[in-house]
Amino acid sequence: AQSVAQPEDQVNVAEGNPLTVKCTYSVSGNPYLFWYVQYPNRGLQFLLKYITGDNLVKGSYGFEAEFNKSQTSFHLKKPSALVSDSALYFCAVRDRDTGGFKTIFGAGTRLFVKA
Amino acid sequence: NAGVTQTPKFQVLKTGQSMTLQCAQDMNHNSMYWYRQDPGMGLRLIYYSASEGTTDKGEVPNGYNVSRLNKREFSLRLESAAPSQTSVYFCASSEAGRDFYEQYFGPGTRLTVT
């Protein structure tokens, strides 16, 4: 069965500091991995995805994520946080071999960036 | 390009009432989805439509029905609303379902059942 864990409900970081939002996953096959961001009273917006190839994936707004197969992780990172990055972040996984149409979302991590 | 649109934005129902949530996309996507979002639980898939003319159950289909009216539109119906269906509902679409394509989400419908 597929699952996604985001171990931190909330991450606090000062503006200008690097940020990391953690995600680990479990699939029986090979994963497609995604990060989405949700601003208040809005739908989710796609940030980046890992399909295959280079383990470091770059996405929108300066975010990047690193796929680590041995640790089954896909942590979201940004070198220098902005106040406007404050939002709810979701990691998601689809098993490319057996998952069919099902994308599993994590519970979300709320990021607060303090000025 | 409006992307994915949903109506209504807010709705309050009494237990036992019915309603239909509407969703439309203008990106010519093949696959469409309905999710519910509850605090601390992420998004859970209710139903999806891989392509026009097909629909399938997701993780939490009980109490819901769907219709893929055409390629653009995918509606979600609550036949007899229950307080447990109080949630925020999101419609999404993607180019294809069984692949690596990301999903595009609508703004959501906040439903309260009293």
Side-chain angles (χ1 to χ4, degrees):
Chain A
Q2 304 168 88
S3 66
V4 175
Q6 294 182 241
E8 301 153 318
D9 291 336
Q10 185 172 307
V11 170
N12 298 307
V13 65
E15 189 173 33
N17 283 359
L19 69 87
T20 299
V21 183
K22 295 179 180 176
C23 171
T24 58
Y25 67 90
S26 174
V27 297
S28 54
N30 291 300
Y32 294 129
L33 292 154
F34 306 83
W35 275 102
Y36 291 84
V37 60
Q38 184 180 30
Y39 297 101
N41 301 312
R42 303 283 296 275
L44 279 68
Q45 296 176 35
F46 168 73
L47 272 182
L48 52 79
K49 63 185 174 186
Y50 171 79
I51 304 169
T52 188
D54 194 347
N55 289 344
L56 185 63
V57 177
K58 294 187 186 297
S60 307
Y61 312 121
F63 284 94
E64 58 189 30
E66 185 163 14
F67 170 61
N68 187 317
K69 187 171 184 177
S70 62
Q71 297 186 4
T72 61
S73 67
F74 190 56
H75 301 331
L76 181 70
K77 300 182 180 186
K78 188 174 182 182
S80 178
L82 299 172
V83 172
S84 58
D85 292 331
S86 298
L88 187 56
Y89 290 81
F90 290 95
C91 181
V93 66
R94 177 183 294 155
D95 186 328
R96 69 171 73 189
D97 301 319
T98 65
F101 290 88
K102 184 185 284 189
T103 298
I104 300 297
F105 287 81
T109 298
R110 192 164 296 279
L111 174 67
F112 284 105
V113 181
K114 187 175 179 182
Chain B
N1 248 5
V4 180
T5 56
Q6 292 182 237
T7 55
K9 285 188 168 50
F10 301 94
Q11 184 71 48
V12 179
L13 291 178
K14 292 186 182 342
T15 297
Q17 287 185 319
S18 63
M19 78 162 295
T20 299
L21 282 64
Q22 307 286 353
C23 173
Q25 52 92 9
D26 62 3
M27 295 173 283
N28 202 35
H29 284 168
N30 288 305
S31 301
M32 297 185 74
Y33 314 80
W34 276 106
Y35 292 92
R36 58 178 290 171
Q37 182 180 27
D38 301 294
M41 300 188 73
L43 275 72
R44 292 182 292 168
L45 182 64
I46 305 171
Y47 271 92
Y48 65 93
S49 171
S51 59
E52 186 179 355
T54 70
T55 60
D56 282 288
K57 296 178 181 179
E59 299 172 74
V60 288
N62 290 346
Y64 306 95
N65 284 299
V66 290
S67 296
R68 183 75 183 266
L69 303 169
N70 47 55
K71 192 171 185 179
R72 289 187 65 247
E73 298 172 289
F74 188 39
S75 62
L76 178 72
R77 183 159 179 85
L78 286 70
E79 290 291 352
S80 179
S84 61
Q85 294 178 304
T86 294
S87 187
V88 181
Y89 292 85
F90 289 100
C91 177
S93 70
S94 66
E95 289 195 40
R98 295 184 65 94
D99 216 325
F100 53 80
Y101 295 106
E102 62 272 21
Q103 296 177 28
Y104 292 80
F105 287 81
T109 295
R110 189 172 295 273
L111 175 67
T112 302
V113 183
T114 61

